[in-house]
Amino acid sequence: MHFQTLATHTGQTRQGAGVTATPLVDRSTSWAFDSMAELDAVFDGAAPGYFYGRDGMPNAVLLEEALTALEGGSHSLVYATGMAALASVLAVAGSGKRVLAAPDLYGRTYALLQTWLPDSGAEVRFVSSQDHETVAGALQSWRPQLLVVETLSNPLVKVSDLGWLIAQAQQVGCMVLVDNTFASPYLCRPAELGADYTVESLTKYINGHGDVLGGSITVRDPEERLRLARHRAAFGATLDPQAAWLALRGLRTLGLRMRQHSANAQDLAAFLDAHPAVARVYYPGLPADPGHDLAARLFGGRGFGGMLAFDLAEATQPRTWQVMDRLKLVLRAPTLGDVATLAAHPARASHRGLTPAQRAAIGVGDGLIRVSVGIEDAEDILADFAQALES
Ligand SMILES: Cc1ncc(COP(=O)(O)O)c(C=O)c1O
C-alpha cells in the first residue's frame, strides 16, 4: 500500500460488531484479570494483553503500529518527547562506546552527546556528515560503534547521504542512529536504507498540529526493540495515552500535509531567492542548492520538505528582528512542522548558547532566519514575507 493509505488505515482498533471505527482514548493505568494465572501469563509475555501502563498501553501500541508501517522497520517504540527517544538510544547503544556524530545536530542532541554521554565512559567525536573523506577515515581508523546523523540539518537544511553513510558504517560493524525529524517518513525512511535506529520527534511533522510532545524510535531488529522496551519501562519515559491518541490522529494526514509543506516551501524559496533584500536561501529544492541532486534521489521525487532558511542582505540583529516583528500571519515560535508557518532566529534561539565566532564558523549569522513553512495558501505566506522585507 502507498504512504497516505497506510497513514489513514494502520493503527486501527480491530474491526467487529460494537467496535468503534476510530480508537478511543484508554486512560487506564493498569488492567484487571479474572485469575492470577491469566495475569501471570501476560506478565510473562506468554499471552497477549496489557498489565501496567508504563510497560505498554493500547493507544501507544496503535501509534507504534502505524509508525512501523510508515517507517518500514520491524518495530517502533514511542516516548514522552523526542529528546526522551534520543536519550534512550544513546543510553542503550552509546553508553561506554565510541560514538561518531555530526556537529550540526539539534542543539539539545549535541548537548547530550557532549555533556552527558561521556559520563557513561563513552568517547564522542564530531565529523561533518557531508565530509565523506573524513567520515570514511574515522570509521576505518577509529572504529566507532555508533554513528549519529540527521537526514536534514538544522538550520541550514544540509542533506546527509544516508545510503552512503550507512553502507560505510555497516562495513565496520558500526550501528547507525538517524534523526529523521526534519524529513519525516513521508520523504525518507532510514530503516529501509539500513539505519538501526530511526528517531522522530513526533512533536513536529508527525503530529503536525503543535499540541503534542512525543518521540519515537523505529528499529529493524526485534532484539533491539526488547532492549529499548526494557529500558523505557525502567526509566519511565512513557508517552501519555492522550498524547498517543492525538499523535495518531495527526499522523493520519501526514502525506497530505507534507505535500503542501513542500509545495509551499518551494514557492517561498523561489520568491526569497529572487528578492533583493535576501542574500542567500538554503533549501534543497532550489536547483542551485548543493544538496539538490542528493535530496531529489533520497526523497524519491516526493518533494524537498517544509524547512528552509535565508540570510538577509543586511545581516544585523536589529534588521532581522525588524523583519521578523513585521510578520503578521507567520508566527514567531521556536518549533517546526506545524500546520502554521513559523519563523525562528537561530542566533537567538537554537544556537544562542554559541559565541558569535562559533556561530559564524557553522554559517549561523545574525541575519539568518529559519522558516518552517506551513500548509496555508502559498500566496498568503509570500505576501506576508513580501511586506515584512520592505525596507
Ligand atoms: C531535529 C530534532 N530532533 C529532536 C528534537 C527534540 O524533540 P522534542 O522537542 O519532541 O523533545 C527536535 C526539537 O526541536 C529537533 O528539531
Side-chain angles (χ1 to χ4, degrees):
M1 272 188 283
H2 295 85
F3 188 89
Q4 187 48 51
T5 311
L6 289 170
T8 306
H9 285 278
T10 51
Q12 288 285 8
T13 23
R14 308 290 164 249
Q15 303 292 309
V19 177
T20 55
T22 51
L24 301 174
V25 185
D26 186 340
R27 296 215 59 100
S28 187
T29 54
S30 71
W31 281 259
F33 292 81
D34 284 340
S35 71
M36 288 307 294
E38 271 182 61
L39 170 57
D40 207 51
V42 176
F43 259 131
D44 261 356
Y50 304 98
F51 52 94
Y52 188 64
R54 178 160 35 74
D55 292 77
M57 64 179 82
N59 291 103
V61 167
L62 293 178
L63 176 60
E64 289 172 347
E65 278 175 22
L67 287 165
T68 301
L70 297 188
E71 299 277 3
S74 84
H75 292 90
S76 300
L77 298 100
V78 292
Y79 290 81
T81 62
M83 286 319 298
L86 280 159
S88 299
V89 184
L90 292 179
V92 167
S95 294
K97 302 274 171 52
R98 289 183 300 282
V99 180
L100 188 66
D104 48 2
L105 298 168
Y106 171 57
R108 290 277 157 86
T109 312
Y110 184 81
L112 265 186
L113 285 161
Q114 211 195 22
T115 317
W116 298 101
L117 198 58
D119 286 349
S120 72
E123 211 187 319
V124 185
R125 291 189 188 173
F126 294 96
V127 172
S128 163
S129 56
Q130 277 79 35
D131 180 353
H132 284 191
E133 204 178 313
T134 313
V135 171
L139 285 169
Q140 290 297 332
S141 61
W142 189 50
R143 301 279 162 149
Q145 292 143 303
L146 181 68
L147 175 67
V148 183
V149 292
E150 290 175 357
T151 311
L152 293 171
S153 77
N154 178 24
L156 298 179
V157 210
K158 290 189 209 155
V159 191
S160 288
D161 191 345
L162 295 183
W164 184 87
L165 289 164
I166 293 166
Q168 297 292 311
Q170 282 175 342
Q171 277 179 20
V172 296
C174 173
M175 298 188 92
V176 181
L177 156 57
V178 179
D179 182 337
N180 196 45
T181 299
F182 271 39
S184 92
Y186 176 75
L187 290 181
C188 184
R189 287 180 278 287
E192 289 181 350
L193 299 170
D196 300 282
Y197 310 99
T198 303
V199 169
E200 307 277 356
S201 166
L202 303 175
T203 315
K204 315 299 182 191
Y205 286 108
I206 291 181
N207 177 59
H209 294 75
D211 49 15
V212 165
L213 286 169
S216 67
I217 307 171
T218 299
V219 297
R220 297 172 67 236
D221 175 356
E223 284 299 313
E224 288 299 325
R225 174 190 167 252
L226 281 180
R227 282 212 299 164
L228 287 163
R230 278 197 287 269
H231 179 272
R232 184 181 60 182
F235 282 75
T238 313
L239 185 64
D240 178 78
Q242 183 86 29
W245 183 87
L246 276 168
L248 182 60
R249 195 176 68 163
L251 172 155
R252 295 277 179 243
T253 54
L254 181 60
L256 291 173
R257 285 185 283 109
M258 287 307 293
R259 287 199 274 275
Q260 183 78 4
H261 284 298
S262 293
N264 284 354
Q266 193 73 44
D267 286 356
L268 182 63
F271 166 80
L272 293 170
D273 202 33
H275 200 289
V278 173
R280 178 165 176 191
V281 179
Y282 305 86
Y283 184 62
L286 291 175
D289 188 273
H292 180 71
D293 292 346
L294 171 57
R297 222 175 344 109
L298 193 62
F299 302 158
R302 290 180 290 278
F304 297 90
M307 297 304 299
L308 64 80
F310 62 97
D311 281 318
L312 288 169
E314 188 186 330
T316 62
Q317 176 173 314
R319 167 66 177 154
T320 310
W321 284 18
Q322 180 193 50
V323 170
M324 291 187 67
D325 285 347
R326 279 183 186 165
L327 292 165
K328 293 180 181 147
L329 175 77
V330 174
L331 304 175
R332 289 162 289 275
T335 187
L336 63 107
D338 287 3
V339 286
T341 300
L342 311 165
H345 185 207
R348 301 304 301 153
S350 51
H351 292 69
R352 68 183 293 144
L354 274 61
T355 63
Q358 284 172 322
R359 284 199 297 271
I362 55 167
V364 176
D366 283 343
L368 184 76
I369 297 177
R370 187 191 80 179
V371 186
S372 168
V373 186
I375 63 165
E376 303 93 335
D377 290 303
E379 298 87 326
D380 295 325
I381 305 171
L382 268 54
D384 201 24
F385 278 99
Q387 63 82 23
L389 285 165
E390 273 169 25
S391 48

